[in-house]
Amino acid sequence: MSKKRVFTGTGRRKEASARVTMTPGKGKIIINGKDVNEYLPYKTLIMDLRQPLEITKMVDKFDIKVNVTGGGFTGQTGAIRLGIVRALLEYDADTDPNSEGSFRQLLKEGGFISRDARIKERKKPGLKKARRAPQFSKR
C-alpha cells in the first residue's frame, strides 16, 4: 500500500487562524467539516480562496481539509488562502525557487506569499472607538 503525501500550511489573517492539509485527490475543499460552498456565504470569497490553486493549475489535483477559528468570513478566507499557499510551496519545495515556472515565482507575482499584517487598532481612552471621538456640542 503506497503512502499518500500530506502537505500542510498555516495561515493567519486579522483574528482568524487556519490549519490547511492538502492530500492528492479530486479537488474537494472541506472547511470545519462542511463543503466550501456550504461554509462560505459569498461566491467572491470562494473565488478568492481558490486563486492560488488556479494560478498554479492545481485546482483538481488536491483535496483540501481546513480547520479555521476566529474572525469573520473575510478574515477566515484570507487565512485559508495563505495556508493553501504555504502548503503549495511545501509541495513544490524540490523545484528551484528562482526558476521561471516555480510555484514561488507564480505566487509571488500574484502577491499571495506575504501575510496581511493589518489588525484592528485598539480603543483609546476618551474616544468611542479607536479614532471616533464623541460628537461635539457647542452648547
Side-chain angles (χ1 to χ4, degrees):
M1 189 164 145
S2 66
K3 184 182 174 194
K4 281 190 175 183
R5 287 283 317 265
V6 177
F7 305 99
T8 60
T10 304
R12 290 184 194 85
R13 169 86 166 88
K14 293 186 175 183
E15 290 291 315
S17 180
R19 290 191 322 265
V20 176
T21 53
M22 285 187 354
T23 54
K26 303 262 190 256
K28 285 172 57 173
I29 301 175
I30 306 294
I31 303 172
N32 290 348
K34 294 182 180 179
D35 184 59
V36 67
N37 297 311
E38 222 177 289
Y39 188 80
L40 294 174
Y42 309 115
K43 296 288 181 201
T44 52
L45 293 177
I46 297 167
M47 284 173 27
D48 192 37
L49 186 124
R50 289 192 172 155
Q51 278 180 329
L53 295 168
E54 289 167 359
I55 284 177
T56 56
K57 296 177 179 68
M58 292 284 162
V59 177
D60 299 329
K61 294 196 171 52
F62 289 106
D63 285 340
I64 299 172
K65 191 168 184 241
V66 181
N67 286 333
V68 65
T69 57
F73 289 119
T74 307
Q76 286 186 351
T77 302
I80 293 168
R81 185 171 82 170
L82 184 59
I84 290 171
V85 166
R86 288 182 175 168
L88 284 170
L89 290 176
E90 185 182 321
Y91 167 75
D92 197 45
D94 300 337
T95 310
D96 178 34
N98 298 324
S99 67
E100 192 66 32
S102 74
F103 284 3
R104 184 161 190 81
Q105 284 292 103
L106 293 170
L107 294 167
K108 194 167 185 135
E109 286 169 13
F112 298 116
I113 290 180
S114 60
R115 183 210 192 283
D116 190 347
R118 295 176 295 171
I119 57 169
K120 188 173 181 175
E121 192 175 336
R122 78 174 192 86
K123 184 189 175 300
K124 315 298 185 309
L127 300 180
K128 289 185 179 287
K129 291 168 53 176
R131 297 181 185 215
R132 170 76 172 103
Q135 187 173 357
F136 175 73
S137 173
K138 201 169 201 177
R139 283 170 200 76

